[in-house]
Amino acid sequence: MTPTPVTRRSLLGGLAAGGALMVGNGLTGSAPLVSAAGAGGDLPRTADVVVVGGGISGLVAARELARAGRSVVLLEARDRVGGRVLNHTLANGAVIESGGAFVGPTQDHILALAKELGVATFKEYVAGDNVFAANGHTMRYTGTIPPDLSIILDAYIMQLRIDWMSSQVPVAAPWTAPDATAWDGITAREWVRQNTFNPATGNLLLSYLQPTYGSDGEDVSLLFFLWNIACSGNETSPGTFERASGTADGAQDSRFVGGSQLIPLGLAAQLGDIVHTQAPVRRIAQDANTVTVTTDRGPVTAKRAIVAAPPSLVAAIDWDPLMPPLRQQLLQRLHLGTLMKVDAVYPTPFWRASGLSGSGIADSGAVRTCFDNSPPDASVGVLLAFVGGSTWRAWANRPLAERRNAMLQGFAQIVGPQALQPIDYVEHDWTHDRWTLGSPVASAGTGTTTAFGPQIRVPFGRVHWAGTETSTYWAGFMDGAVRAGKRSAEEVLRS
Amino acid sequence: MTPTPVTRRSLLGGLAAGGALMVGNGLTGSAPLVSAAGAGGDLPRTADVVVVGGGISGLVAARELARAGRSVVLLEARDRVGGRVLNHTLANGAVIESGGAFVGPTQDHILALAKELGVATFKEYVAGDNVFAANGHTMRYTGTIPPDLSIILDAYIMQLRIDWMSSQVPVAAPWTAPDATAWDGITAREWVRQNTFNPATGNLLLSYLQPTYGSDGEDVSLLFFLWNIACSGNETSPGTFERASGTADGAQDSRFVGGSQLIPLGLAAQLGDIVHTQAPVRRIAQDANTVTVTTDRGPVTAKRAIVAAPPSLVAAIDWDPLMPPLRQQLLQRLHLGTLMKVDAVYPTPFWRASGLSGSGIADSGAVRTCFDNSPPDASVGVLLAFVGGSTWRAWANRPLAERRNAMLQGFAQIVGPQALQPIDYVEHDWTHDRWTLGSPVASAGTGTTTAFGPQIRVPFGRVHWAGTETSTYWAGFMDGAVRAGKRSAEEVLRS
């Protein structure tokens, strides 16, 4: 299944002519996109709107503006588009992702965009049993909560409470929740401690928190956590813990054929020479009439700017004038998580023959959460582990061979000793990535959402804010990136 | 009482000759120090050591190195030295401070430095009664805890517990405290809630937290809070809540005659053309043999660098190579507080005649904590309020006239209606300051100290870390700045 080629002409009829056209092959490889005009030569000196950041959010914003007839310059620091969305091609040509990958129901915006770009989805493999490894033993189970008698009641009640509490958190204004102050004064960890009998229940929750935030329960406020659960839905179907954490019908329901980076690559192909890579933004200055964005390749002056970058990178820009203190403080308090994605590749997804899904949870070790990450044709078998938060700290700084061994042991605990003999081993640690500085997403500790959260989408003069962190649904996911890109473009078009 | 002039020659015998000599008048004014060689012209291209940041910590580090015969270049972004230490001269010539001001017992390093520089101290005025304003009533009291029957037992037990718990926190390694994980998983706010009967007790604690961190109890972890209390001492006299929060014999025991900025000004005068102002550092690159620090005025290459700047500013530098992920993450999680200092000036310290100290605490309103900030000769009367955390958020963004009125009402609540008629009104909001981005200090929310705290003083290649936040005693205070400056210089000299 190959994506339908799209042309810039057909989708961007309103856009002024000119610029490189990136279609066809540009959509299917995992190679960085560097358009002919994009990486070399001078930047345009002026535009109606300059967009900072070539992840999905910035690309969507740029496309909306271009479609509306505005001249747009998109500036991306890296030599590729996609931000935290990045394909990786295996030896046999199969594609997996080093960054954002999964999609699921109610993620309408990313799914519609993918469909439009001809990027198909396929269901994450869920046939067979999941495995729960705890106290040195393993048990098979189906569904979300492992049927460990010592924790199942605790976990079930915890889930009911989380859903009930998150239903009281308005996604666009979590700081107005009735108990916002109390919930923002306590960590998710402490709330779980107070509301469960068995500490193992809180430990189990890490299998959700570490992949989702790259953090443990002490790093996020209860209010932020509940808001994030509330976000895992859309305008007609409120978020639930089941959807936020689940595989089938949940946030890990499906993946993209050819890898998720086909989406930003497809957008960039449409945008052509609007996209300028290797143009890190160092300074943003505004006056009454213009905003000037200065990169290592020179300045661009526009009427408006949209900044679609992770909070820590936004804070590192030299702002003139300074951002308002409340926003500056918000950015000081939104920290990116620490997360590696680790994939072990096998000749086949051998676990399927044993009636295993490849999904598993462990209460300790290097692999706390794993998924079947095989390509849709199962041409190879791939197991994926998210290594986040305290598990990342335990393993990320050890020698590769030692970590690799621990990961394979962890996979073997879930699917058996065949996991010890991979044909390939791939890891991507986003904390080493200069233009992200962590992953998968920025989260908020205690006190931040109530005190500084209201600033999250407030424009600063001529500067508007995109990026998945600014979304009201599926913040932290690709869907949130699309939503935020559209919303920011609408703001600019209305202004 | 005027400071004894010091000469560079007498104190820096080991330093190579040359450079502007700033003595005498340079020590007593509140004008920015811009040495003739410092602000214009080219920077030296090379040095043994480059120091980033001209606050007390960086200046002390530079002086230690210069005394040891090393060639040093100190780079300061502002047009003045002093960092978060800044004098303000009133109309009658009396000096107050816009930033760090108070000193007290066990702050041996800043006191010795002041003595050496000829900067005298005087006792904060504490004769007479303090005032506690709560529920619309006021009561006079002496000591630290207001004798409100509804809270005094709660507050007394809370203080005992805080002292007992903080005694278990090693100042150089709080992450090794026996209960570090649990204490770092909970906010100071939540711990107080769990351990007090009357919510007013937690509210009272804000009179300490807001001036100390520019934050409320939900912004700091219990472990960070306990560590900070443990820090309020020295190697022979452990920190206590009484010393951290107290006036006489506490952290607010004394002030400096002529204002605290005399200390950085005196250091800069000794350093002469070692100090280069208006040289903001944008990039720090290292290779196997050198470190190159690039400013708006060009690069300086050295064998070692000491970075003595607030964490948020360090994170905004373009690092090549990137800082190690653990340190990058630590910096993402240390947020500066939000704090204004507000001074109202009167012809005399009129409250003294009524038997009032000028110190007070209020349970609400714009002035939650106030002190007598009159100059030593009482040539005018000055009341000082710290407006931090949630109180800062309530007032910092209102129109000046409205805020001024609220502040004066707050002072009047403490010392009577004469406070409504000041002859001058001075405020300084550090969140607007580009080269600080908040005040008084960076603090850590939950999860940060245990997970990333061990990085705080770990050198990064040829780069060593100073700044008050890296001190093991009196972190966040001028004494911590001196200590950190000395320790970083020792590291460099040993290397």
Side-chain angles (χ1 to χ4, degrees):
Chain A
M1 186 177 283
T2 52
T4 309
V6 292
T7 66
R8 178 162 160 271
R9 184 176 305 277
S10 62
L11 286 161
L12 293 173
L15 183 66
L21 194 62
M22 296 287 294
V23 293
N25 288 341
L27 283 173
T28 49
S30 66
L33 173 104
V34 185
S35 75
D42 291 339
L43 298 176
R45 285 289 172 215
T46 61
D48 289 335
V49 186
V50 60
V51 176
V52 177
I56 288 176
S57 207
L59 291 163
V60 165
R63 194 175 74 153
E64 295 292 314
L65 294 164
R67 282 176 164 176
R70 300 298 190 280
S71 65
V72 184
V73 170
L74 185 147
L75 302 170
E76 165 57 42
R78 295 181 171 94
D79 61 0
R80 64 168 180 84
V81 295
R84 288 168 268 182
V85 171
L86 175 63
N87 281 0
H88 177 88
T89 305
L90 298 172
N92 79 331
V95 172
I96 60 174
E97 289 98 341
S98 299
F102 290 105
V103 284
T106 73
Q107 298 187 355
D108 313 310
H109 292 257
I110 187 71
L111 289 168
L113 176 61
K115 190 171 183 183
E116 182 199 327
L117 292 172
V119 181
T121 62
F122 67 104
K123 291 280 182 182
E124 168 68 5
Y125 187 83
V126 291
D129 294 334
N130 305 327
V131 172
F132 180 53
N135 302 314
H137 301 284
T138 59
M139 61 171 70
R140 292 176 169 224
Y141 70 102
T142 56
T144 306
I145 302 179
D148 181 320
L149 289 179
S150 71
I151 56 172
I152 191 166
L153 185 64
D154 244 6
Y156 183 69
I157 292 173
M158 180 176 73
Q159 183 170 338
L160 286 177
R161 281 187 170 134
I162 288 170
D163 283 344
W164 179 79
M165 292 163 77
S166 68
S167 74
Q168 297 174 57
V169 178
V171 292
W175 45 87
T176 65
D179 289 316
T181 303
W183 292 350
D184 207 30
I186 185 173
T187 60
R189 173 197 166 97
E190 174 65 7
W191 180 83
V192 171
R193 190 191 69 78
Q194 289 174 12
N195 289 278
T196 53
F197 290 100
N198 186 344
T201 312
N203 189 28
L204 176 66
L205 189 65
L206 292 183
S207 70
Y208 170 74
L209 296 176
Q210 291 184 348
T212 307
Y213 305 126
S215 292
D216 287 16
E218 59 268 34
D219 295 314
V220 293
S221 88
L222 176 62
L223 180 64
F224 177 84
F225 169 72
L226 295 171
W227 168 73
N228 213 250
I229 301 296
C231 279
S232 61
N234 63 15
E235 288 76 359
T236 56
S237 180
T240 63
F241 185 74
E242 179 73 23
R243 190 182 296 114
S245 62
T247 304
D249 293 325
Q252 283 78 237
D253 180 83
S254 298
R255 288 183 281 142
F256 291 113
V257 177
S260 56
Q261 202 189 1
L262 290 187
I263 293 167
L265 289 170
L267 289 167
Q270 292 179 354
L271 291 169
D273 67 356
I274 283 174
V275 176
H276 300 267
T277 54
Q278 294 174 273
V281 169
R282 305 296 183 176
R283 181 177 166 84
I284 299 182
Q286 301 184 63
D287 60 25
N289 302 308
T290 63
V291 52
T292 297
V293 177
T294 303
T295 77
D296 288 353
R297 295 170 54 199
V300 183
T301 297
K303 293 173 193 154
R304 298 268 163 184
I306 290 174
V307 174
S312 299
L313 297 181
V314 175
I317 293 170
D318 183 25
W319 290 88
D320 181 22
L322 280 184
M323 289 180 284
L326 286 170
R327 183 169 190 87
Q328 168 61 242
Q329 290 287 329
L330 173 64
L331 296 180
Q332 284 191 39
R333 286 166 171 78
L334 292 175
H335 53 270
L336 282 148
T338 55
L339 185 69
M340 297 177 75
K341 281 185 93 171
V342 175
D343 289 276
V345 184
Y346 306 91
T348 64
F350 59 85
W351 49 90
R352 295 181 183 180
S354 319
L356 293 175
S357 67
S359 281
I361 294 172
D363 71 346
S364 59
V367 174
R368 299 292 304 264
T369 316
C370 87
F371 292 95
D372 183 322
N373 201 29
S374 308
D377 61 4
S379 59
V380 286
V382 184
L383 289 175
L384 161 66
F386 289 99
V387 183
S390 57
T391 308
W392 176 90
R393 292 196 298 280
W395 293 101
N397 290 304
R398 300 204 195 180
L400 171 60
E402 189 185 340
R403 183 171 57 248
R404 180 181 184 277
N405 183 55
M407 294 292 160
L408 297 179
Q409 294 284 353
F411 287 131
Q413 198 178 16
I414 305 292
V415 300
Q418 271 187 272
L420 298 173
Q421 306 296 334
I423 56 174
D424 196 5
Y425 174 85
V426 181
E427 53 182 41
H428 192 96
D429 185 343
W430 288 86
T431 64
H432 292 281
D433 193 310
R434 176 181 297 267
W435 301 114
T436 306
L437 298 179
S439 87
V441 63
S443 53
T446 53
T448 298
T449 302
T450 44
F452 303 103
Q455 295 297 308
I456 188 75
R457 287 177 294 276
V458 176
F460 165 39
R462 303 186 158 269
V463 178
H464 302 254
W465 309 104
T468 187
E469 280 87 354
T470 71
S471 184
T472 50
Y473 284 103
W474 290 108
F477 290 76
M478 292 183 281
D479 191 64
V482 179
R483 285 175 168 270
K486 289 180 179 173
R487 189 255 315 139
S488 66
E490 283 162 17
E491 286 175 16
V492 167
L493 291 173
R494 272 200 313 270
S495 70
Chain B
M1 186 177 285
T2 51
T4 309
V6 290
T7 66
R8 177 164 161 271
R9 182 174 306 276
S10 62
L11 286 160
L12 292 173
L15 182 66
L21 195 62
M22 296 287 295
V23 293
N25 288 342
L27 284 172
T28 50
S30 65
L33 173 105
V34 186
S35 75
D42 291 338
L43 298 176
R45 286 288 171 216
T46 61
D48 290 333
V49 186
V50 60
V51 176
V52 177
I56 288 176
S57 207
L59 292 163
V60 165
R63 194 175 74 154
E64 295 292 314
L65 294 165
R67 282 176 165 176
R70 302 297 189 280
S71 66
V72 184
V73 170
L74 185 147
L75 303 169
E76 164 58 43
R78 296 180 170 94
D79 62 359
R80 64 167 178 85
V81 296
R84 289 169 267 182
V85 171
L86 175 63
N87 281 359
H88 177 90
T89 305
L90 298 172
N92 80 332
V95 172
I96 60 174
E97 290 98 342
S98 299
F102 290 104
V103 284
T106 73
Q107 298 186 356
D108 314 308
H109 292 257
I110 187 72
L111 289 168
L113 176 60
K115 190 171 183 184
E116 181 199 329
L117 292 172
V119 181
T121 61
F122 67 103
K123 291 280 182 182
E124 169 68 5
Y125 186 83
V126 290
D129 294 333
N130 305 327
V131 172
F132 179 53
N135 303 312
H137 301 284
T138 59
M139 61 171 69
R140 291 177 170 222
Y141 71 103
T142 56
T144 305
I145 303 178
D148 181 319
L149 289 180
S150 71
I151 56 174
I152 191 165
L153 186 63
D154 244 5
Y156 182 69
I157 292 172
M158 179 176 73
Q159 182 170 339
L160 285 178
R161 282 188 170 135
I162 288 171
D163 283 343
W164 180 78
M165 293 164 77
S166 69
S167 74
Q168 298 176 55
V169 179
V171 292
W175 45 87
T176 65
D179 290 316
T181 303
W183 292 350
D184 208 30
I186 186 173
T187 60
R189 173 197 166 96
E190 174 65 7
W191 180 83
V192 171
R193 192 191 68 77
Q194 289 174 12
N195 289 279
T196 53
F197 291 100
N198 186 343
T201 312
N203 188 28
L204 175 65
L205 188 65
L206 293 182
S207 70
Y208 169 74
L209 296 176
Q210 292 184 347
T212 306
Y213 305 127
S215 293
D216 287 17
E218 59 267 34
D219 295 315
V220 293
S221 88
L222 176 61
L223 181 63
F224 176 85
F225 169 71
L226 294 171
W227 169 72
N228 212 250
I229 300 296
C231 278
S232 62
N234 62 16
E235 287 76 359
T236 56
S237 180
T240 63
F241 186 73
E242 179 74 22
R243 189 181 298 115
S245 63
T247 303
D249 293 324
Q252 283 78 238
D253 179 83
S254 297
R255 288 183 282 142
F256 291 113
V257 177
S260 56
Q261 202 189 1
L262 290 187
I263 293 167
L265 289 171
L267 289 168
Q270 292 180 353
L271 291 168
D273 66 358
I274 284 176
V275 176
H276 299 267
T277 54
Q278 294 174 272
V281 169
R282 305 296 182 177
R283 180 177 168 81
I284 298 181
Q286 301 184 63
D287 60 26
N289 302 307
T290 62
V291 51
T292 298
V293 177
T294 303
T295 77
D296 288 353
R297 294 169 56 197
V300 183
T301 297
K303 293 175 194 155
R304 298 267 163 184
I306 291 173
V307 174
S312 300
L313 297 180
V314 175
I317 292 170
D318 183 24
W319 290 89
D320 180 22
L322 281 184
M323 288 180 284
L326 287 169
R327 184 170 190 87
Q328 169 60 243
Q329 290 286 330
L330 173 65
L331 296 181
Q332 284 192 38
R333 286 165 169 80
L334 292 175
H335 52 271
L336 282 149
T338 55
L339 184 69
M340 299 177 74
K341 282 185 91 171
V342 174
D343 289 278
V345 184
Y346 305 92
T348 64
F350 59 85
W351 49 90
R352 296 180 182 181
S354 318
L356 293 175
S357 67
S359 282
I361 293 172
D363 71 347
S364 59
V367 174
R368 298 291 303 265
T369 315
C370 87
F371 291 94
D372 182 322
N373 201 30
S374 308
D377 61 3
S379 58
V380 287
V382 183
L383 289 174
L384 161 66
F386 289 99
V387 183
S390 57
T391 308
W392 176 88
R393 293 197 297 279
W395 292 102
N397 290 303
R398 300 204 194 181
L400 171 60
E402 190 186 338
R403 184 170 57 248
R404 179 180 185 277
N405 184 55
M407 293 293 160
L408 298 179
Q409 294 283 352
F411 288 130
Q413 199 178 14
I414 305 291
V415 300
Q418 271 186 273
L420 298 175
Q421 306 296 333
I423 56 172
D424 197 3
Y425 174 86
V426 181
E427 53 181 42
H428 193 95
D429 185 342
W430 288 87
T431 66
H432 293 282
D433 193 309
R434 174 181 298 266
W435 300 114
T436 305
L437 300 178
S439 86
V441 63
S443 52
T446 52
T448 299
T449 301
T450 44
F452 304 102
Q455 295 297 309
I456 188 77
R457 286 176 295 276
V458 176
F460 165 38
R462 303 186 158 271
V463 178
H464 301 255
W465 309 104
T468 188
E469 280 87 356
T470 71
S471 184
T472 50
Y473 284 103
W474 290 108
F477 290 76
M478 290 183 281
D479 191 63
V482 179
R483 284 174 168 270
K486 289 180 181 173
R487 190 254 315 140
S488 65
E490 283 163 17
E491 286 175 15
V492 168
L493 292 173
R494 274 201 311 271
S495 69

